[in-house]
Amino acid sequence: MTSRVPVLLSSSSVFPEPTAAAFEMAASLGYDGVEVMVWTDAVSQDAGALRGLSAHYGVPVLSVHAPCLLVTQRVWSPDPWERLRRAAVLAETLGAPTVVVHPPFTWQREYARTFTAGLNRLVTKHPDVRFAVENMYPVRMAGREFVPYQPGWDPTDTGYDSYTLDLSHCAASHTDALRMADAMGPNLAHVHLGDGTGEGRDEHLVPGRGNQPCGPLLASLAGRGFTGSVAVEVATRGAKSRAIREDDLRASLEFARQHLASANPSTPATRVDA
């Protein structure tokens, strides 16, 4: 590893290229590992195929994103608990210590009602995996705002054993990412690195191209006693070529390494506003 905190390439960052391309680019650009977004690409669902890619490119899978997006509600099973269970088994099989999971959608009433208790049962069955609940954001359309998650988009309002902090989602929710990290405290297990402008939508810009405190957040991790990983999750679907996509992913990796290297373990984690 070239940094104390491993920097991963999320396979969602290479979309619309397939999961296999994430391993290829992670290896060529020098990432420490891959976060596999489990989605409709069959390779992302297959432990054997992923193990083969990992071995071929020499890049470990260090995080698994469970299939909890709108477009992945039928991946593996329509039952959200079965999807989360299979994500845990996939992570265990690949040696990945983290499963990223979103809060339940509002229409998943039974799943939402049992979410905390169900996560606790999964932790008992899969003690080597951290189920890191991700902060989301309200949706704004036609001048109106609604929250599609139950009990809400901010997981710290409920409280969980592990969290994923997504900076692009902080921008979309108009949330101070450093204060969110403070609220997550020692349970901050994973970071999704992407930027945003705060325009109310999920942008996943290359870090440094929005107005989020991406650098200060990364630099604060050592002081927070952070022992997880940082996954670059940026949108490159608009890239007109593989070379342009790789340039964005290279810039994201360099940004992460630069700011992680500037960390001072003795620096207080809490933000002090001028």
Side-chain angles (χ1 to χ4, degrees):
M1 301 288 182
T2 56
S3 62
R4 188 182 66 85
V5 175
V7 182
L8 319 182
L9 177 61
S10 168
S11 60
S12 67
S13 295
V14 308
F15 183 82
E17 294 195 58
T19 302
F23 286 86
E24 179 185 355
M25 283 186 259
S28 66
L29 296 174
Y31 277 81
D32 298 312
V34 165
E35 173 172 308
V36 172
M37 170 72 79
V38 180
W39 64 300
T40 54
D41 179 355
V43 169
S44 72
Q45 307 169 29
D46 188 320
L50 293 169
R51 190 187 293 111
L53 287 167
S54 179
H56 178 74
Y57 289 106
V59 179
V61 176
L62 295 179
S63 178
V64 170
H65 195 308
C68 43
L69 306 179
L70 276 174
V71 296
T72 59
Q73 294 298 293
R74 297 286 172 176
V75 169
W76 280 336
S77 169
D79 178 1
W81 284 122
E82 176 62 12
R83 293 198 301 272
L84 193 49
R85 185 195 68 80
R86 292 187 64 169
V89 171
L90 180 63
E92 279 186 333
T93 302
L94 298 172
T98 304
V99 168
V100 177
V101 59
H102 292 180
F105 288 115
T106 53
W107 57 85
Q108 296 174 312
R109 292 183 178 86
E110 182 62 20
Y111 180 50
R113 187 182 68 80
T114 60
F115 188 60
T116 299
L119 282 182
N120 290 336
R121 286 194 297 271
L122 283 170
V123 168
T124 299
K125 292 179 180 178
H126 306 279
D128 295 328
V129 176
R130 298 185 77 176
F131 296 86
V133 184
E134 186 172 1
N135 62 297
M136 302 305 292
Y137 53 92
V139 175
R140 300 175 180 90
M141 296 178 62
R144 302 182 64 183
E145 179 178 298
F146 68 97
V147 177
Y149 303 99
Q150 178 65 34
W153 58 265
D154 182 351
T156 67
D157 287 343
T158 300
Y160 298 101
D161 290 340
S162 299
Y163 298 104
T164 294
L165 174 61
D166 187 303
L167 285 109
S168 178
H169 294 176
C170 286
S173 63
H174 300 163
T175 301
D176 184 317
L178 291 168
R179 294 194 187 280
M180 174 71 77
D182 290 345
M184 292 177 173
N187 294 343
L188 175 59
H190 192 59
V191 173
H192 276 168
L193 179 61
D195 215 332
T197 63
E199 292 185 351
R201 59 190 178 88
D202 191 16
E203 297 170 284
H204 287 286
L205 302 177
V206 170
R209 297 182 186 175
N211 58 20
Q212 296 304 293
C214 298
L217 185 280
L218 293 175
S220 78
L221 292 178
R224 297 177 188 277
F226 183 74
T227 59
S229 54
V230 171
V232 167
E233 192 178 72
V234 296
T236 65
R237 64 177 63 88
K240 299 186 185 307
S241 68
R242 164 68 76 89
I244 293 173
R245 173 169 291 115
E246 288 185 341
D247 284 345
D248 282 349
L249 299 179
R250 183 181 296 107
S252 299
L253 175 61
E254 290 173 353
F255 183 99
R257 291 234 171 99
Q258 174 190 346
H259 290 281
L260 286 168
S262 70
N264 181 353
S266 63
T267 300
T270 303
R271 180 179 184 177
V272 178
D273 294 316

